[in-house]
Amino acid sequence: MITSLLDLSHTNPAEDFGMPGKFTKLREIQQEVVNFALYGGGGGGMDDPDLGPRRFHAAGAPGGVGKSLASHMAGRLSGGKYVALTATKSLQEQEVDAGFPVVDVRGKSNYNCIDYDPLHPDQRWSCEEGSDEKDCRYAGTYQCTHSIRIEEARRSPAVLSNYHAWMHARKYNRTAWEGGTKARPEPIELLICDEFHKAMGALAGFLNVWVSNEMLHKHANEPVRNLIRESKGQDWGRVGSRWVEVLTQVWMGVAGQMGKLLGDY
């Protein structure tokens, strides 16, 4: 267990850790943020007997103090692979432009295929539009621009992305962006969430479920048909107590499906 804080007063982030050249010294508040992120309050380590084992540390600082640098320094000093997430792609772009030593990963719509759209031979389509192997001959291969970036992320000790891309990647693959092999895996050991106050909104949007007419009929077919006939298809017919009962039945069916998906995950 580490019982003392790191002395970062003489650290040169640019020379010692490959950070952007303009960062030659850590401010005192940045040093505090780094130490708190790594060791928690008081520097007692992750197993501080007074605080107990913790998986999560939350640190806040005023605007303009250099939280991005502090975040990436904490990631590098953690000794493991880390992923830094931003709330928006514009903030992600700012960190890319600043030159932090990370692999920048975004959703498939941000990568242009090396092939052309069959319907528009003069235009290249995105990796999202051509993600189906039946449509794109490069999908899922190492000639795919998105697959190339994902492989770079797997091999890198530091990855930069955004909440949306991270959630979608991990939805389909719980080890997405992790490196190594089955015998010697290299897991992501630290997740840094910038602007964490926006993370709950991003998660809520990601988990949002649209109940379509297909779902209505799948989980409450006969009651739905009866109520539609009685209301003659009028939207106002859906606000009554009987519709509430039907929609509750649909919700329970959808919740059961979601629960199964989570169980499989």
Side-chain angles (χ1 to χ4, degrees), residues 90-253:
S90 61
L91 291 173
Q92 183 179 353
E93 192 69 42
Q94 290 179 20
E95 295 195 19
V96 172
D97 292 341
F100 286 102
V102 296
V103 171
D104 173 38
V105 178
R106 309 187 187 194
K108 289 184 176 182
S109 63
N110 294 275
Y111 299 91
N112 287 329
C113 183
I114 62 175
D115 209 351
Y116 289 89
D117 185 340
L119 299 179
H120 304 281
D122 59 332
Q123 300 177 13
R124 295 187 187 277
W125 56 2
S126 72
C127 288
E128 183 176 50
E129 295 168 323
S131 60
D132 189 340
E133 286 82 354
K134 296 179 181 178
D135 295 329
C136 179
R137 54 183 169 172
Y138 300 113
T141 72
Y142 290 111
Q143 289 180 288
C144 170
T145 51
H146 179 259
S147 296
I148 291 172
R149 184 55 58 88
I150 296 302
E151 183 60 25
E152 291 174 353
R154 291 185 67 252
R155 296 174 182 271
S156 174
V159 179
L160 174 67
S161 190
N162 57 75
Y163 292 132
H164 183 78
W166 167 258
M167 291 176 187
H168 277 274
R170 302 289 281 200
K171 173 183 178 181
Y172 297 106
N173 179 5
R174 64 187 305 174
T175 61
W177 309 350
E178 296 186 359
T181 62
K182 289 185 178 180
R184 299 187 62 181
E186 296 175 2
I188 295 168
E189 299 186 14
L190 178 64
L191 185 66
I192 301 172
C193 299
D194 191 15
E195 292 197 311
F196 186 70
H197 61 286
K198 296 183 179 180
M200 295 300 101
L203 180 60
F206 175 73
L207 294 176
N208 186 37
V209 177
W210 171 258
V211 179
S212 64
N213 281 332
E214 180 183 356
M215 290 183 180
L216 284 175
H217 291 291
K218 178 178 180 179
H219 297 290
N221 186 31
E222 195 59 33
V224 168
R225 290 183 181 278
N226 291 337
L227 286 174
I228 290 177
R229 281 194 293 267
E230 291 176 13
S231 65
K232 298 181 180 179
Q234 299 292 329
D235 286 342
W236 55 262
R238 303 190 178 197
V239 299
S241 59
R242 292 180 63 193
W243 266 108
V244 172
E245 294 176 4
V246 169
L247 292 175
T248 300
Q249 183 177 339
V250 173
W251 176 82
M252 292 178 66

Side-chain angles (χ1 to χ4, degrees), residues 11-118:
T11 298
N12 184 320
E15 291 185 1
D16 300 336
F17 294 95
M19 296 295 163
K22 64 180 180 180
F23 299 124
T24 58
K25 188 175 179 63
L26 286 172
R27 300 170 184 170
E28 183 176 352
I29 191 172
Q30 289 174 319
Q31 297 178 45
E32 293 176 359
V33 169
V34 170
N35 273 299
F36 184 87
L38 293 174
Y39 309 124
M46 293 298 288
D47 297 316
D48 190 314
D50 296 326
L51 298 177
R54 284 149 290 130
R55 292 181 60 195
F56 308 101
H57 287 169
V65 303
K67 293 190 288 293
S68 294
L69 174 60
S71 296
H72 288 286
M73 283 295 296
R76 292 298 300 273
L77 288 167
S78 71
K81 179 169 185 165
Y82 75 92
V83 173
L85 302 178
T86 62
T88 64
K89 287 194 290 185
S90 61
L91 291 173
Q92 183 179 353
E93 192 69 42
Q94 290 179 20
E95 295 195 19
V96 172
D97 292 341
F100 286 102
V102 296
V103 171
D104 173 38
V105 178
R106 309 187 187 194
K108 289 184 176 182
S109 63
N110 294 275
Y111 299 91
N112 287 329
C113 183
I114 62 175
D115 209 351
Y116 289 89
D117 185 340

